[in-house]
Amino acid sequence: MSISAPTSRARAHGTPEGHRHDEILTPEAVEFVGRLVDAFADRRLNILKERGRVAARLASGSPLDFSIATARIRADDSWQVVPPAPGLTDRRVEITGPPDRAMTVNALNSGAQVWMADFEDATAPTWDNIIGGQLNLLDAIERRIDFTTPEGKHYRLGEQLATIVVRPRGWHLTEEHLEIGGRPAPASLVDFGLYFFHCAQRQIDAGSGPYFYLPKLESRDEARLWNDVFVLAQDLLGIPRGTIRATVLIETITAAVAMEEILYELREHSAGLNAGRWDYLFSLIKTFGHRTDFLLPDRAKVTMTAPFMRAYTDLLVRTCHKRGAHAIGGMAAQVPGKDPAAHQAALAKVRLDKEREAEDGFDGSWVAHPALVPVCREVFDGVLHTRPHQIERTREDVEVTAAQLLSVRRVSAPPTPEGLRTNIAVSLRYFAAWLRGQGAVALDGLMEDAATAEIARAQIWQWLRHRVVERATVLELLEDELASLGAEYPWAAVDEVRAIFERTALARDLPDFFTTDAYTRHLVRRPEGQS
């Protein structure tokens, strides 16, 4: 096995000489990541090639449906996932956010049962952010993360802390700062491997465990790959098989028709499924955006009560509870404002959303800000009472077909001028912040992450493709919003933001992810801290 140290480019970016990076990038930890990469890098590439083949088949008109080949798995009522692990029995409130130092303390102290420490959509993958996030998790587990900001604000861990669940980056991303065998390492294995190596046994000793959220899965084969990663990682460190737990985000349409198969492949490590709204809609556009019957209106108008979204969430709850797994609801992204009336209106929206989820059978849900934790908890308390979950509610009334999951036409409508401008403005402002190293950004009262930018730019591409908006109008609004961006944020790299937008929203073909393009062209070449 050939394992190299971080590349010379990484050193030029301030690594591995970054503050305390050597505590994470120990020879043993890098060796461990290398063992995972040697074992699974080729399978990862095959997975990505298969994604392309499936996308081509669907684009050429092949129907999407529940697989006949795996019908026996769905028909077999005898199998269940493993019971909940310590700290994951009651998940009624989960808070999400990047593992920066302040968020780590605030999330762990928030009163939520779980904190999803997000290396994916909520983290701009600068090397300092990635390794700094690993340090913050290690420091939190060791309870040495207390600190005071230059402004005098003090952060200190309390006694009752949320359970940490780490979301690594998806299979499609690489980590250019760490080469294994002369190639950039898969980012998913870097994030997983470094955390598991340093923190798995520490978490077990503390009465918890190494827990993960798995993003962007598209098939049962991808779930099986993760399960094999877990088995090898546990074997290498002498940790009993089945100690790891993983919750899969069902945020692609191809995963939606393979929920039971995904649980089956991960059954010895599964902690359930989660419903991810924006990425799910983004997946629909990527998969079927060439079809007029999948033309989506303003994203603000596509609510979770739309028939095809209800089919998706009902199926998720039914599938999870049938197999003894937790079903976790979607994000409440509202950020409290200074206006009391606006703040109360935002809380009312959150309450309605969480009431729907709790009544539909979800066992918990996500919030983006500590101020939303009490509202979410109160709603789920009102349904769960003293129970930790409602897995026993199997929702046998639910029967969902592939056609129902794909019934987008019932909500199709042309975009409004406000919806078009909002998508352009959000995309540009998010790209600017992301290039500066921010992955979670408060915009117009909502905490936005990469998923928001993906659906926003994908909708613009779809509207242009079907000529429901004029290209000249988009270009005019683009110039207007770029000028506003430069005036509002003098630090913004306007030319780079424009380039990302043009390549990912205005191109003839829709790129799969803006993050892959922007990372290699812009972020990885940018000195740390430069805007």
Side-chain angles (χ1 to χ4, degrees):
M1 179 179 63
S2 170
I3 303 178
S4 68
T7 65
S8 58
R9 179 190 301 136
R11 291 193 188 96
H13 286 192
T15 56
E17 296 85 0
H19 180 54
R20 297 179 61 207
H21 283 195
D22 59 329
E23 295 180 36
I24 297 298
L25 297 169
T26 64
E28 296 81 5
V30 175
E31 173 77 14
F32 177 75
V33 172
R35 294 285 296 272
L36 298 179
V37 173
D38 277 0
F40 300 111
D42 289 343
R43 281 180 61 185
R44 167 189 171 267
L45 291 176
N46 290 335
I47 286 288
L48 297 180
K49 290 176 183 177
E50 180 61 18
R51 285 184 180 183
R53 288 190 286 267
V54 170
R57 288 198 297 269
L58 293 173
S60 67
S62 295
L64 178 69
D65 208 338
F66 299 92
S67 172
I68 296 175
T70 55
R72 60 175 182 78
I73 293 175
R74 298 192 300 275
D76 182 356
D77 292 333
S78 67
W79 65 269
Q80 296 269 292
V81 305
V82 288
L88 292 180
T89 300
D90 188 336
R91 303 174 62 181
R92 67 189 68 198
V93 186
E94 301 194 353
I95 190 168
T96 75
D100 62 59
R101 209 156 181 83
M103 184 66 194
T104 298
V105 176
N106 287 336
L108 291 174
N109 287 340
S110 67
Q113 278 71 29
V114 169
W115 170 41
M116 187 191 77
D118 190 9
F119 284 93
E120 201 222 7
D121 281 353
T123 294
T126 68
W127 191 230
D128 275 347
N129 282 349
I130 296 302
I131 302 305
Q134 296 282 350
L135 279 164
N136 291 333
L137 293 175
L138 179 59
D139 284 349
I141 294 166
E142 292 288 311
R143 296 192 70 93
R144 62 188 185 204
I145 199 172
D146 299 356
F147 71 103
T148 302
T149 67
E151 296 76 27
K153 187 172 183 180
H154 191 62
Y155 290 82
R156 181 189 299 276
L157 288 180
E159 293 301 316
Q160 200 71 25
L161 303 181
T163 297
I164 296 173
V165 180
V166 171
R167 176 161 73 166
R169 286 169 285 177
W171 286 124
H172 59 290
L173 295 166
T174 58
E175 178 48 74
E176 297 287 332
H177 299 92
L178 185 64
E179 289 189 353
I180 308 292
R183 293 188 300 180
S188 50
L189 296 181
V190 173
D191 298 342
F192 165 81
L194 291 176
Y195 176 75
F196 189 80
F197 181 84
H198 288 291
C199 299
Q201 191 61 53
R202 285 178 166 92
Q203 289 285 51
I204 295 165
D205 294 343
S208 183
Y211 306 145
F212 299 90
Y213 259 107
L214 304 181
K216 308 289 192 293
L217 269 63
E218 297 191 15
S219 70
R220 66 177 292 211
D221 291 335
E222 298 185 26
R224 181 187 303 157
L225 174 55
W226 268 118
N227 196 73
D228 291 346
V229 170
F230 296 160
V231 169
L232 178 59
Q234 290 166 133
D235 287 351
L236 288 175
L237 296 190
I239 290 173
R241 293 190 183 190
T243 301
I244 290 174
R245 290 291 191 276
T247 304
V248 174
L249 292 109
I250 300 298
E251 50 191 355
T252 64
I253 184 60
T254 51
V257 295
M259 292 186 200
E260 284 196 78
E261 292 87 338
I262 287 170
L263 286 178
Y264 180 81
E265 296 295 346
L266 284 161
R267 61 194 181 281
E268 65 177 331
H269 296 109
S270 181
L273 305 176
N274 169 277
R277 176 186 179 190
W278 288 141
D279 270 323
Y280 186 73
L281 292 174
F282 171 50
S283 169
L284 281 169
I285 295 176
K286 281 200 301 182
T287 308
F288 298 112
H290 59 288
R291 291 171 46 174
T292 57
D293 53 334
F294 282 84
L295 187 64
L296 291 171
D298 296 358
R299 59 189 173 88
K301 295 183 178 180
V302 186
T303 68
M304 299 304 288
T305 60
F308 75 99
M309 296 299 282
R310 286 304 299 269
Y312 153 64
T313 55
D314 283 349
L315 178 61
L316 191 147
V317 172
R318 166 63 177 149
T319 300
C320 286
H321 290 183
K322 176 183 177 183
R323 302 303 180 180
H326 282 75
I328 307 300
M331 173 70 79
Q334 287 80 358
V335 177
K338 295 180 180 179
D339 180 355
H343 177 63
Q344 291 303 315
L347 292 181
K349 288 183 179 180
V350 172
R351 182 178 295 277
L352 283 174
D353 188 49
K354 301 312 173 189
E355 286 175 348
R356 173 190 53 77
E357 289 180 330
E359 291 165 3
D360 284 350
F362 281 97
D363 302 292
S365 193
W366 278 9
V367 299
H369 194 280
L372 304 182
V373 169
V375 178
C376 187
R377 184 195 302 114
E378 181 183 339
V379 169
F380 276 89
D381 284 351
V383 172
L384 299 178
H385 304 294
T386 59
R387 297 176 298 160
H389 52 68
Q390 50 183 332
I391 292 175
E392 75 285 351
R393 188 180 168 200
T394 54
R395 290 299 308 272
E396 294 181 12
D397 57 303
V398 171
E399 292 186 13
V400 173
T401 65
Q404 289 173 307
L405 292 171
L406 300 173
S407 61
V408 176
R409 182 186 291 275
R410 295 176 64 180
V411 299
S412 291
T416 65
E418 295 78 13
L420 175 60
R421 180 181 285 276
T422 295
N423 274 0
I424 293 173
V426 165
S427 297
L428 299 180
R429 280 157 176 74
Y430 186 80
F431 293 160
W434 192 86
L435 288 173
R436 204 181 190 213
Q438 293 176 263
V441 186
L443 297 172
D444 299 325
L446 298 173
M447 187 60 70
E448 307 289 21
D449 64 11
T452 310
E454 295 287 26
I455 180 63
R457 62 101 181 170
Q459 282 201 297
I460 294 164
W461 175 87
Q462 185 187 37
W463 295 337
L464 284 169
R465 177 185 175 92
H466 294 293
R467 299 182 180 179
V468 293
V469 298
E470 296 293 331
R471 191 175 185 87
T473 302
V474 172
L475 294 176
E476 181 180 345
L477 290 172
L478 173 61
E479 295 303 322
D480 190 22
E481 289 300 327
L482 282 170
S484 296
L485 175 67
E488 187 176 354
Y489 304 110
W491 48 260
V494 173
D495 289 343
E496 291 183 84
V497 169
R498 178 201 299 275
I500 295 170
F501 184 87
E502 288 176 346
R503 286 195 305 272
T504 62
L506 304 184
R508 184 177 69 88
D509 297 317
L510 180 68
D512 284 343
F513 299 97
F514 94 80
T515 47
T516 49
D517 172 88
Y519 176 68
T520 54
R521 287 179 182 258
H522 300 280
L523 200 65
V524 79
R525 303 175 186 276
R526 177 184 300 273
E528 296 285 352
Q530 179 180 312
S531 64

